Amino acid sequence: ADGDAVKVARDVELAVLHTPGHTSGSICFHLRSAGTGSVLFTGDTLFIGSCGRYDLPESDLNAMLASLDRLARLPRETLVLPGHNYARPAHSTIGAETDMNDMMIQAVRLSKAGKLSPSAAAATVPLPDYLGVAQRLAAKFENCSGVLGGCDHDHDDGHCQRPLLLSDAENADDLPHLRARL
């Protein structure tokens, strides 16, 4: 849970920081050592120059911004090791990210203006209709004459132009056969 810490060596502990946004359960691990600085393992919360995606069904942009603002409050010299890195260098610091990372800059600015509060709502960015795309593609390649007892549509070329839909299943036993054809 947030704030839990485990002592891993003399004067060294590993603490959990709950940093929702990418997912509601996102966390970072903060390795703290007395007198020698700290290391932050950021997972999918903070990347070098960016942050994790916040357009997924379980994501929350406001929560992400609040988490980035929370991380910006750590000591500037804290070493950042992200879960993903798509360019060099392989690491950064909280200070560098606070100064250069547009998402962190936005988070800090909104927090200072009192305009930042995590919401319980998931991201509302519409996702592609993957099933609909698959159904339309299947309709282009499938002849519906063998599906669920045959086709009752008129065809000039022998191929049905009607999309094959999961709703074509007459009962639950039909679903595996219909899915196999999609």
Side-chain angles (χ1 to χ4, degrees), residues 14-135:
L14 185 65
V16 176
L17 301 176
H18 182 225
T19 54
H22 178 66
T23 66
S24 60
S26 292
I27 60 173
C28 294
F29 292 107
H30 190 195
L31 187 65
R32 302 182 292 216
S33 176
T36 60
S38 63
V39 177
L40 185 67
F41 300 92
T42 60
D44 284 345
T45 301
L46 175 63
F47 300 151
I48 297 171
S50 186
C51 67
R53 289 180 60 183
Y54 47 84
D55 63 335
L56 304 171
E58 192 185 337
S59 300
D60 182 334
L61 174 59
N62 288 331
M64 175 62 83
L65 292 169
S67 293
L68 294 174
D69 178 61
R70 179 182 186 192
L71 296 180
R73 298 170 192 268
L74 294 173
R76 290 182 59 81
E77 64 277 359
T78 301
L79 183 65
V80 173
L81 298 175
H84 301 277
N85 185 39
Y86 303 107
R88 291 183 184 220
H91 60 277
S92 185
T93 64
I94 288 294
E97 294 307 307
T98 301
D99 293 343
M100 303 298 289
N101 184 320
D102 288 336
M103 289 300 290
M104 283 192 83
I105 292 167
Q106 179 182 357
V108 170
R109 186 178 304 135
L110 288 170
S111 178
K112 285 181 181 176
K115 297 180 180 179
L116 183 62
S117 61
S119 70
T124 58
V125 175
L127 296 176
D129 178 17
Y130 295 113
L131 182 57
V133 169
Q135 290 170 338

